[in-house]
Amino acid sequence: MPPAVHNKKHMRIPLYALLLCSVPFMVHAQSETDSVHHSYTLSTVNYTILGQRYQKNYTRSRELQQSTDRLLERIPGVTMIRRGNFAMEPTLRGLSAAQINMTIDGMQLFGACTDRMDPISSYVEPNNMERIQLGFSPNGEQHNASVGGGLNFSLKQAQTGVAKVWSGLVGAGYETNATATQTIAALQYSRSRFAISANGVWRRAGNYTAGKGQEIAFSQYNKWNLGLSAVYLLKPNQQLRVDYLQDEGYNIGYPALTMDVSFAKAKIGSASYIYTPTGMKLKSWESKVYYNYIDHAMDDTKRPAWQVPIHMDMPGTSQTMGLYSRAKWYYTNHFLEAQFTAYSNRLHAEMTMYPKNAAEMFMLTLPDVQRTVYGIDLKDKIYLGQDWTLSPSLTVNYVQSDIYTELGKETLSSLFTGSLDRKNLVWNAGLNAEKQINGRWMLFGQLSRGARSASAQELYAFYLFNRMDNFDYIGNKDLKQETSVNASLGMSYHQHRLHIQPQLFVYRFSNYIVGQRKQGYSTMTIGASGVKQYVNIPDALLYGGELYATYRPWDKWYIQSTNSISIGLDNAGNALPLIPPFKSINRIEYTPSKYGFYAESISQSRQDRISTVVYGERASIGFTIFNVGAGRNFTIGKNTLNVHAAVYNILDKQYYEHLDILKLYRPGRNVALNLSLTF
Amino acid sequence: MRKIFALVCVAIALCTYTSCKSKNNDPKPGIETPAKSQLGTASTTDYIITLYADTPLLFTGYNRLYVKVQDATGAVSSTANVSIHPLMEMSTMSHSTPYEQVSYDAATGLYSGAAVFIMPTADDDAWKMEVTVNGQKVAIPVTVGTFPTKVISISMGSDNTTYIVSLLRPATWKVGMNDVEFTVHKITDMMNFPALDNLTIEMTPEMPSMGHGSPNNISPVSTGKGHYKGKVNYTMTGDWRLHLKVSDASGTVLLQDAFIDILF
Ligand SMILES: [Cu+2]
Ligand SMILES: [Cu+2]
């Protein structure tokens, strides 16, 4: 049993098993509101193949064939930016990119693509994961300074001392739309002191068809992913752990962008030492070193000539090396956590253009930026009597940015004079409070101050094209930190058939970073409307809410509703871009014995809170789509076979979400069939 | 303790990794003076005269020239009265080209000057450099090639005068901000090409294959002796065209677009 992470949950914490969507029957992707109450844990993903928890394997195994994107977009407050049928980019309540902090198992990773084609979530598969941790406040589950919380994808680890020495699963799925196939497998070998596990996914898809039979060209993808985990117990309470993740995508189309991807590869490795003493105040001490390398190459060779005025190559790399050491103590009524973290990231992105009758042209688009961060996090959770829980927290980061090659410095002499180095001291502080009013009612709220230093792109971008507003972007090395004061208040009503949890939030930003038109600069990208530079605007406001409710009218029947809305305004009252409008996912499930049936609707309202002139965004019409699914479990000896069929978008509606770049239609009707066998 | 030791090791490794930014610090090209190439030598009664340039071949456009004067014993002279005069002899006539008279440079021990060749050597049309040392004259034949890109612009101005705008080629260009220098001369007659000061030059770089320019350029300003210095910004490598709009002191546009082409 992995230490503290789980111990925490078994403590005297008000614990709510919110039933959260996505799985057709019985065991739902279970989201426990963690102590901070806005940190959701998907326990479907939490579940290990060995069934050490009370969950059904088939549920799990079917879920594993989904993409991470599909899991994420069902979590309230999460909306995905879509550029194709692959690697969607998560936003949290309308905050994205550098405003949120995405990690894999606590490791920092940064996408290598300058066009945001490879968010970190694209390099991790449900099959790799134990759970997804999500925080909306700067000091949620994240251990890094940010203005809007973040996402952590906790990796599944090999388990020692399991009764079955060998265990595993195989699965395959087929979808009629895009003739997509998924093949997954996982295998574990477990002894008392040693365990090793491997899991793999192979996915491929052709062009998908949007509603009404419209084929979306350049929407294909191919990828494989391999996760390895080995654990060795030095002593019963001391373990060494090595994890390795490799994810490689090939020939991936991005129909909303001007280029596709010839490959997107990530190699992610770490080694950890975990000490979990018993009978001490110290509950756990985990130290990890890690390294990851991301290699990305964009490609325009498959596009028709009229789309490619000049053929170009645009490769990029990102490498990060880091460590953290994190300890947790539990004494009397305190649960204390302290962490030291350090990492360094290097980004390189370049572009070579090949005009027909002239010399080739070369430039750096992200001029060899290096960023080194040292951080300390302190967090306490104080239990005051039976009713109150208070969690103060503090994060301090020292962020150093500079340019590590002469060519990078020369390139930036085009834009800037003086030193390119940046040093920022960034701090977050917050307080969460929970008040149990009685057995059914609970109030929770938090107030925090968040800050982030400008990202490598915001500081040093060298003519990065943004397809959304059709502008080339240049960096601004003099950007100030973006800060936020953020408050949320929610309540929870819980009885055995009904659970309702509304929540309101507000973020007040200072020195909010946006792109602002820069006059007198000529565009680099042929056809671009102009050049924008990142600037701090004095302030911005983001507010909204989420409502989550479940109801069991009768046994075997289950109804769930997930709703969210965000509204963002800049200092001049202009609507901020990429803010999701009201979205509602409603679902009904019926689960007689070995069968499961569900039907759901997904709706998004229209979004006309936009500022076309300032941020280049267009209005969106709303939509509603319907999905249905059914599944059955067969027991074959000691193994379980699960068969699941679903029809997505049964009315074959042409629709897009507001955050979809170019408002490209999403897939039309899609019939999916999944088989999986656990052993 | 072992754990702490391991952590410290990793921390040191990380710090080392992050601080090794000098790894890619290639030596800056073009800062040290390149070795000079000998173009030719000739002797008079009292002197051995050797002509040098920065490159083995001279090109159309601006070329720095150096003269070494030695007496019969081989001792280098620094006090001689030295002058140069470029001359092209064609079948029917001969003409000179804009040039900058040499003067003694103690740092190199050479007399240095320059010539702006307005045309390359052709079959019957040969360039020679006349060098006069204390009244004794020699002629050293030189070959002038055509530079691969257009580094000199010879065009008729709005006042019907022919102007010669020439780029001083640096040893190397780099991406980003570069110093840039031009000379401007006009043609009075076949032998006289006076340097022009106090003109206004408006410089606009462009990449013709993409149609874009670059920001933050500083148009060249007159620094005397027909020279103009400014800063040019190359946002990427490739073909660049520097559009030069030249006006006189009264604001009259003399040359709408005397452009110079660059490839690096
Ligand atoms: Cu890309
Ligand atoms: Cu260009």
Side-chain angles (χ1 to χ4, degrees), chain A residues 310 351 353 361-363 523-524, chain B residues 206-213 235-240:
Chain A
I310 295 181
M351 169 159 89
M353 285 159 288
M361 295 173 275
F362 174 85
M363 70 188 283
T523 60
M524 184 75 57
Chain B
E206 187 205 357
M207 289 201 95
S209 19
M210 294 175 79
H212 68 76
T235 50
M236 59 174 84
T237 69
D239 288 303
W240 283 90

Side-chain angles (χ1 to χ4, degrees), chain A residues 112-118 254 257 260-261 296-298 314:
Chain A
C113 179
T114 48
D115 293 346
R116 290 162 75 172
M117 286 170 165
D118 67 335
Y254 285 82
L257 302 181
D260 302 315
V261 158
H296 181 86
M298 287 188 263
M314 291 183 74

Side-chain angles (χ1 to χ4, degrees), chain A residues 134-278:
Chain A
L134 181 77
F136 289 115
S137 66
N139 261 298
E141 282 303 281
Q142 294 295 313
H143 296 272
N144 220 313
S146 79
V147 290
L151 278 164
N152 180 44
F153 303 97
S154 219
L155 294 181
K156 185 163 66 180
Q157 53 182 291
Q159 300 283 308
T160 52
V162 175
K164 277 168 111 177
V165 173
W166 289 98
S167 57
L169 111 178
V170 288
Y174 176 76
E175 297 182 13
T176 53
N177 199 335
T179 59
T181 59
Q182 306 99 38
T183 311
I184 69 164
L187 191 63
Q188 172 168 279
Y189 175 74
S190 176
R191 303 306 298 257
S192 60
R193 293 186 65 182
F194 175 72
I196 185 162
S197 73
N199 55 71
V201 179
W202 182 50
R203 298 177 184 283
R204 54 170 304 149
N207 286 339
Y208 72 85
T209 306
K212 313 282 172 265
Q214 181 196 357
E215 181 180 332
I216 305 296
F218 309 107
S219 62
Q220 80 289 347
Y221 61 82
N222 295 274
K223 86 168 281 188
W224 61 264
N225 170 295
L226 178 73
L228 295 172
S229 168
V231 171
Y232 178 71
L233 297 187
L234 297 165
K235 290 188 182 147
N237 59 7
Q238 289 181 31
Q239 56 170 277
L240 279 178
R241 181 180 158 192
V242 177
D243 294 285
Y244 180 73
L245 194 61
Q246 188 165 349
D247 187 286
E248 302 203 350
Y250 292 94
N251 183 22
I252 304 162
Y254 285 82
L257 302 181
T258 50
M259 294 188 86
D260 302 315
V261 158
S262 55
F263 64 78
K265 304 181 196 175
K267 297 182 175 74
I268 302 158
S270 68
S272 319
Y273 170 81
I274 301 155
Y275 176 49
T276 47
T278 42

Side-chain angles (χ1 to χ4, degrees), chain A residues 276-583:
Chain A
T276 47
T278 42
M280 279 174 67
K281 283 177 178 162
L282 177 66
K283 281 291 149 205
S284 74
W285 182 19
E286 179 188 352
S287 301
K288 176 180 281 191
V289 292
Y290 61 90
Y291 174 78
N292 55 70
Y293 181 76
I294 296 178
D295 197 2
H296 181 86
M298 287 188 263
D299 175 46
D300 59 10
T301 55
K302 297 194 171 61
R303 296 290 177 104
W306 63 268
Q307 285 188 13
V308 187
I310 295 181
H311 160 59
M312 55 181 93
D313 281 334
M314 291 183 74
T317 58
S318 165
Q319 48 181 325
T320 310
M321 188 183 199
L323 61 84
Y324 68 75
S325 187
R326 164 191 301 177
K328 299 178 185 187
W329 294 267
Y330 189 36
Y331 60 94
T332 62
N333 58 339
H334 288 261
F335 182 63
L336 198 70
E337 224 181 303
Q339 174 176 268
F340 168 75
T341 180
Y343 66 88
S344 181
N345 168 249
R346 282 184 166 193
L347 292 169
H348 166 90
E350 59 178 54
M351 169 159 89
T352 309
M353 285 159 288
Y354 305 90
K356 288 228 169 60
N357 299 308
E360 64 181 55
M361 295 173 275
F362 174 85
M363 70 188 283
L364 295 179
T365 50
L366 205 49
D368 298 335
V369 184
Q370 171 169 282
R371 172 165 288 202
T372 307
V373 177
Y374 302 93
I376 287 173
D377 302 270
L378 296 171
K379 202 151 79 179
D380 193 11
K381 187 184 287 176
I382 311 161
Y383 302 96
L384 297 172
Q386 291 291 320
D387 303 339
W388 281 93
T389 311
L390 287 180
S391 315
S393 60
L394 177 71
T395 297
V396 180
N397 279 8
Y398 178 68
V399 185
Q400 232 177 313
S401 312
D402 54 48
I403 305 301
Y404 67 89
T405 65
E406 204 52 43
L407 181 60
K409 289 176 189 162
E410 286 168 359
T411 299
L412 287 172
S413 73
S414 280
L415 300 179
F416 308 130
T417 52
S419 169
L420 298 167
D421 296 2
R422 285 282 308 254
K423 290 176 175 62
N424 284 114
L425 193 68
V426 184
W427 60 274
N428 288 182
L431 180 67
N432 292 277
E434 286 173 19
K435 162 80 173 146
Q436 190 76 47
I437 295 169
N438 56 38
R440 292 184 170 175
W441 288 92
M442 196 179 80
L443 271 176
F444 52 92
Q446 63 90 25
L447 182 66
S448 57
R449 189 264 189 196
R452 67 174 181 105
S453 62
S455 69
Q457 288 79 359
E458 288 161 341
L459 291 172
Y460 305 117
F462 200 67
Y463 296 93
L464 294 181
F465 181 60
N466 180 349
R467 190 68 192 263
M468 193 191 86
D469 58 6
N470 203 45
F471 272 78
D472 278 338
Y473 276 68
I474 57 174
N476 179 354
K477 75 178 173 86
D478 298 319
L479 284 175
K480 293 188 221 104
Q481 293 180 26
E482 184 177 288
T483 60
S484 73
V485 174
N486 134 254
S488 67
L489 185 63
M491 57 171 227
S492 162
Y493 174 79
H494 191 73
Q495 49 118 309
H496 86 290
R497 288 201 183 274
L498 179 68
H499 178 89
I500 300 178
Q501 185 178 309
Q503 185 169 190
L504 295 171
F505 62 83
V506 59
Y507 297 72
R508 165 82 185 194
F509 294 95
S510 300
N511 292 321
Y512 195 79
I513 298 173
V514 297
Q516 199 171 69
R517 188 160 193 167
K518 182 110 178 151
Q519 299 294 347
Y521 276 53
S522 71
T523 60
M524 184 75 57
T525 306
I526 294 171
S529 309
V531 174
K532 283 189 179 179
Q533 183 171 37
Y534 291 104
V535 295
N536 292 110
I537 57 171
D539 50 75
L541 188 67
L542 181 75
Y543 61 98
E546 285 116 25
L547 173 67
Y548 178 75
T550 62
Y551 182 50
R552 288 183 181 280
W554 310 283
D555 291 343
K556 297 175 182 171
W557 287 86
Y558 174 72
I559 297 169
Q560 177 197 281
S561 179
T562 301
N563 305 278
S564 51
I565 186 170
S566 289
I567 294 166
L569 299 169
D570 72 8
N571 60 317
N574 300 308
L576 293 174
L578 294 174
I579 301 294
F582 176 72
K583 185 177 181 182

